[in-house]
PDB file of all heavy atoms in Angstrom:
ATOM      1  N   LYS A 747     -17.347  10.775 -31.777  1.00 85.00           N
ATOM      2  CA  LYS A 747     -17.209  10.311 -33.161  1.00 85.00           C
ATOM      3  C   LYS A 747     -18.490   9.579 -33.533  1.00 85.00           C
ATOM      4  O   LYS A 747     -19.439   9.518 -32.743  1.00 85.00           O
ATOM      5  CB  LYS A 747     -16.001   9.378 -33.286  1.00 85.00           C
ATOM      6  CG  LYS A 747     -14.691   9.960 -32.759  1.00 85.00           C
ATOM      7  CD  LYS A 747     -14.140  11.039 -33.656  1.00 85.00           C
ATOM      8  CE  LYS A 747     -12.775  11.520 -33.142  1.00 85.00           C
ATOM      9  NZ  LYS A 747     -12.222  12.597 -33.989  1.00 85.00           N
ATOM     10  N   ASP A 748     -18.519   8.996 -34.686  1.00 84.00           N
ATOM     11  CA  ASP A 748     -19.682   8.207 -35.093  1.00 84.00           C
ATOM     12  C   ASP A 748     -19.726   6.894 -34.317  1.00 84.00           C
ATOM     13  O   ASP A 748     -18.909   6.004 -34.540  1.00 84.00           O
ATOM     14  CB  ASP A 748     -19.636   7.911 -36.596  1.00 84.00           C
ATOM     15  CG  ASP A 748     -19.850   9.166 -37.431  1.00 84.00           C
ATOM     16  OD1 ASP A 748     -20.494  10.093 -36.919  1.00 84.00           O
ATOM     17  OD2 ASP A 748     -19.361   9.208 -38.574  1.00 84.00           O
ATOM     18  N   GLY A 749     -20.677   6.796 -33.388  1.00 85.00           N
ATOM     19  CA  GLY A 749     -20.871   5.559 -32.642  1.00 85.00           C
ATOM     20  C   GLY A 749     -20.019   5.395 -31.402  1.00 85.00           C
ATOM     21  O   GLY A 749     -20.177   4.426 -30.671  1.00 85.00           O
ATOM     22  N   TYR A 750     -19.106   6.331 -31.125  1.00 92.00           N
ATOM     23  CA  TYR A 750     -18.291   6.207 -29.911  1.00 92.00           C
ATOM     24  C   TYR A 750     -17.777   7.582 -29.487  1.00 92.00           C
ATOM     25  O   TYR A 750     -17.882   8.579 -30.208  1.00 92.00           O
ATOM     26  CB  TYR A 750     -17.129   5.231 -30.125  1.00 92.00           C
ATOM     27  CG  TYR A 750     -16.031   5.744 -31.029  1.00 92.00           C
ATOM     28  CD1 TYR A 750     -14.908   6.378 -30.496  1.00 92.00           C
ATOM     29  CD2 TYR A 750     -16.097   5.595 -32.420  1.00 92.00           C
ATOM     30  CE1 TYR A 750     -13.892   6.852 -31.324  1.00 92.00           C
ATOM     31  CE2 TYR A 750     -15.102   6.054 -33.249  1.00 92.00           C
ATOM     32  CZ  TYR A 750     -13.996   6.688 -32.687  1.00 92.00           C
ATOM     33  OH  TYR A 750     -13.006   7.158 -33.513  1.00 92.00           O
ATOM     34  N   ALA A 751     -17.219   7.632 -28.294  1.00 94.00           N
ATOM     35  CA  ALA A 751     -16.629   8.865 -27.774  1.00 94.00           C
ATOM     36  C   ALA A 751     -15.250   8.550 -27.211  1.00 94.00           C
ATOM     37  O   ALA A 751     -14.963   7.413 -26.825  1.00 94.00           O
ATOM     38  CB  ALA A 751     -17.517   9.449 -26.680  1.00 94.00           C
ATOM     39  N   THR A 752     -14.382   9.564 -27.193  1.00 95.00           N
ATOM     40  CA  THR A 752     -13.082   9.412 -26.549  1.00 95.00           C
ATOM     41  C   THR A 752     -13.139  10.139 -25.215  1.00 95.00           C
ATOM     42  O   THR A 752     -13.798  11.175 -25.078  1.00 95.00           O
ATOM     43  CB  THR A 752     -11.947  10.018 -27.408  1.00 95.00           C
ATOM     44  OG1 THR A 752     -12.194  11.412 -27.593  1.00 95.00           O
ATOM     45  CG2 THR A 752     -11.862   9.319 -28.749  1.00 95.00           C
ATOM     46  N   ALA A 753     -12.488   9.580 -24.225  1.00 96.00           N
ATOM     47  CA  ALA A 753     -12.504  10.173 -22.887  1.00 96.00           C
ATOM     48  C   ALA A 753     -11.158   9.969 -22.208  1.00 96.00           C
ATOM     49  O   ALA A 753     -10.361   9.112 -22.613  1.00 96.00           O
ATOM     50  CB  ALA A 753     -13.618   9.556 -22.054  1.00 96.00           C
ATOM     51  N   LYS A 754     -10.917  10.767 -21.186  1.00 97.00           N
ATOM     52  CA  LYS A 754      -9.690  10.654 -20.402  1.00 97.00           C
ATOM     53  C   LYS A 754     -10.040  10.217 -18.993  1.00 97.00           C
ATOM     54  O   LYS A 754     -11.018  10.691 -18.406  1.00 97.00           O
ATOM     55  CB  LYS A 754      -8.968  12.005 -20.354  1.00 97.00           C
ATOM     56  CG  LYS A 754      -7.642  11.955 -19.600  1.00 97.00           C
ATOM     57  CD  LYS A 754      -6.945  13.312 -19.618  1.00 97.00           C
ATOM     58  CE  LYS A 754      -5.613  13.238 -18.862  1.00 97.00           C
ATOM     59  NZ  LYS A 754      -4.921  14.556 -18.879  1.00 97.00           N
ATOM     60  N   VAL A 755      -9.236   9.305 -18.442  1.00 97.00           N
ATOM     61  CA  VAL A 755      -9.435   8.868 -17.064  1.00 97.00           C
ATOM     62  C   VAL A 755      -8.963   9.993 -16.139  1.00 97.00           C
ATOM     63  O   VAL A 755      -7.789  10.361 -16.145  1.00 97.00           O
ATOM     64  CB  VAL A 755      -8.667   7.567 -16.762  1.00 97.00           C
ATOM     65  CG1 VAL A 755      -8.817   7.203 -15.286  1.00 97.00           C
ATOM     66  CG2 VAL A 755      -9.159   6.430 -17.649  1.00 97.00           C
ATOM     67  N   ILE A 756      -9.904  10.546 -15.375  1.00 96.00           N
ATOM     68  CA  ILE A 756      -9.585  11.627 -14.439  1.00 96.00           C
ATOM     69  C   ILE A 756      -9.100  11.063 -13.110  1.00 96.00           C
ATOM     70  O   ILE A 756      -8.202  11.592 -12.475  1.00 96.00           O
ATOM     71  CB  ILE A 756     -10.827  12.518 -14.204  1.00 96.00           C
ATOM     72  CG1 ILE A 756     -11.297  13.125 -15.521  1.00 96.00           C
ATOM     73  CG2 ILE A 756     -10.532  13.622 -13.198  1.00 96.00           C
ATOM     74  CD1 ILE A 756     -10.263  14.007 -16.203  1.00 96.00           C
TER      75      ILE A 756
END
Side-chain angles (χ1 to χ4, degrees):
K747 307 288 184 181
D748 291 334
Y750 71 94
T752 60
K754 182 178 180 180
V755 176
I756 300 299

